[in-house]
Amino acid sequence: MTTTSSSSMWAWRRPCRLDPFTDYIDHLTRNGHSPMGVASLHYVLPLSSLLAGVAMRRLLIGEVPAALAMFAALSLPRVVTWLGHHAARTPKRLPDPGSIQGHQDALRATIPPPVLRVLDEAAMVVQRQTRAESVLLHDMRLADHCHDGPCKPHWSAGVMLCVPNLAGHSLLLIGRALREQETIGILRFVVAHELHHAALGMRRIDLLMLTAQTIGFLLVGFLAPTLTIAAVGAASLRLMLTLCSWVVELACDKVGVEAHGAEQAEAYFTMLSRGRYRSCARAWPWWQRACSILTWLQPTHPPVWLRIWYCRRVQRGAPGRATTSRAR
């Protein structure tokens, strides 16, 4: 369904298209979790900030033509994208509010009651943390990513605190394999991990890291006297951000282990081992597979062996607490 206020507005405003809730969320998750989407966040954004800082320094020292050329190069992709959308009259995708309740009812009907209770408790925690009007459930999947064999998104989960164009709503994404009653122990660990990500303290850390990924690279480019020093500084900042991301993930793993034990964590991380998902990786088009090499060079999560070792260490440090939690 495409809507626009007036035919005379085509030159200035993109029309809007109301998508069913499922299609809209699938569009968001595919863009954000595909190899190209992840690579854009970890390469394009820092590189753009770095080059903007270099251009500002060139402008400051009087190299105006070089600075203007760099600013033009940085602006070109966005201008081309904008012109492409308007030339093709590509509608802006918006969620259809009328389709939300039907989707929620249909999804909840497929979830076993014990699993649904775990998810409802998690939704209440997210609602308290974010003061959202409601927390919606959705399947963690990547649209059009179909293949035989294990699929990593089916074992993944996440919390989207602010859903674009759905003010007041948060989203709890749970993969198909985690919604089975047989994996409810693993689900409890994964949910505890994700809820700690949504806690206020962790959200502040994420904001600091995002600021460093933009302003930090901008300052490196602006302050570095040569391109070589700028490259070294950018690589050092990127390494620091990667290590910070690992520390955040391990801190969330610790919360899950303290609540539900290291056995559930180890079972989950075993399911995430890289060798299980070769068919999943091959299902991407070649350009997405090329981007996955870039994401492999900058892993946002610690390796599986490190996470398993750390979870065992956490449980050895508090065995009584983990045993009590499992007994409940």
Side-chain angles (χ1 to χ4, degrees):
M1 177 178 179
T2 304
T3 61
T4 182
S5 57
S6 168
S7 59
S8 63
M9 296 295 291
W10 275 109
W12 304 101
R13 183 181 299 173
R14 288 170 62 189
C16 298
R17 185 181 79 187
L18 291 180
D19 282 350
F21 178 77
T22 303
D23 294 346
Y24 178 73
I25 299 300
D26 285 346
H27 171 69
L28 291 182
T29 53
R30 180 176 175 84
N31 287 346
H33 291 84
S34 67
M36 183 175 292
V38 176
S40 296
L41 177 63
H42 295 289
Y43 285 92
V44 177
L45 179 61
L47 183 60
S48 299
S49 298
L50 180 69
L51 293 178
V54 173
M56 290 170 61
R57 182 178 181 85
R58 292 289 183 269
L59 190 62
L60 185 66
I61 63 178
E63 298 180 6
V64 177
L68 293 179
M70 295 184 73
F71 281 128
L74 289 171
S75 304
L76 183 62
R78 187 171 295 273
V79 171
V80 170
T81 302
W82 185 87
L83 290 175
H85 281 313
H86 284 262
R89 297 186 175 184
T90 306
K92 180 181 179 181
R93 305 181 70 159
L94 296 174
D96 181 7
S99 65
I100 294 177
Q101 191 58 51
H103 168 269
Q104 294 297 289
D105 293 341
L107 179 59
R108 292 175 68 88
T110 66
I111 303 175
V115 176
L116 196 55
R117 283 194 294 272
V118 173
L119 298 180
D120 285 341
E121 291 171 3
M124 291 175 60
V125 174
V126 173
Q127 197 166 8
R128 286 198 305 269
Q129 291 173 335
T130 62
R131 299 181 181 178
E133 294 178 13
S134 67
V135 178
L136 306 173
L137 294 177
H138 191 64
D139 183 22
M140 173 64 92
R141 64 187 181 192
L142 297 177
D144 303 324
H145 183 66
C146 303
H147 58 85
D148 296 327
C151 187
K152 194 170 184 178
H154 293 171
W155 288 94
S156 301
V159 177
M160 192 180 293
L161 299 178
C162 300
V163 183
N165 301 308
L166 271 178
H169 296 281
S170 296
L171 191 66
L172 186 58
L173 296 154
I174 302 292
R176 183 186 309 167
L178 293 174
R179 300 198 304 269
E180 301 293 337
Q181 191 159 347
E182 294 76 13
T183 59
I184 192 169
I186 294 177
L187 174 66
R188 289 193 178 101
F189 165 78
V190 173
V191 165
H193 174 104
E194 296 299 332
L195 291 181
H196 194 57
H197 273 299
L200 180 60
M202 283 298 173
R203 298 207 306 269
R204 287 172 175 167
I205 292 175
D206 289 342
L207 180 60
L208 286 174
M209 292 177 62
L210 182 60
T211 302
Q213 190 153 266
T214 52
I215 306 301
F217 283 97
L218 181 74
L219 289 176
V220 168
F222 181 73
L223 297 175
T226 65
L227 290 178
T228 302
I229 295 177
V232 172
S236 301
L237 180 57
R238 181 68 260 176
L239 178 60
M240 183 192 73
L241 290 173
T242 299
L243 293 177
C244 288
S245 177
W246 286 21
V247 170
V248 167
E249 292 297 329
L250 292 175
C252 294
D253 289 343
K254 180 181 179 182
V255 171
V257 170
E258 289 176 342
H260 304 291
E263 290 84 0
Q264 303 299 341
E266 186 169 350
Y268 177 62
F269 294 138
T270 300
M271 300 306 297
L272 292 184
S273 59
R274 193 176 184 85
R276 282 178 50 86
Y277 302 104
R278 290 192 178 93
S279 59
C280 190
R282 287 195 295 266
W284 290 109
W286 66 266
W287 62 88
Q288 294 277 13
R289 293 199 298 271
C291 289
S292 68
I293 297 174
L294 297 177
T295 60
W296 178 76
L297 294 174
Q298 289 191 37
T300 57
H301 290 62
V304 167
W305 64 265
L306 178 59
R307 300 180 79 172
I308 292 176
W309 172 85
Y310 182 71
C311 289
R312 289 172 178 171
R313 183 179 178 86
V314 169
Q315 180 157 316
R316 283 198 301 269
R321 188 173 181 181
T323 302
T324 303
S325 300
R326 288 198 304 276
R328 286 203 301 260

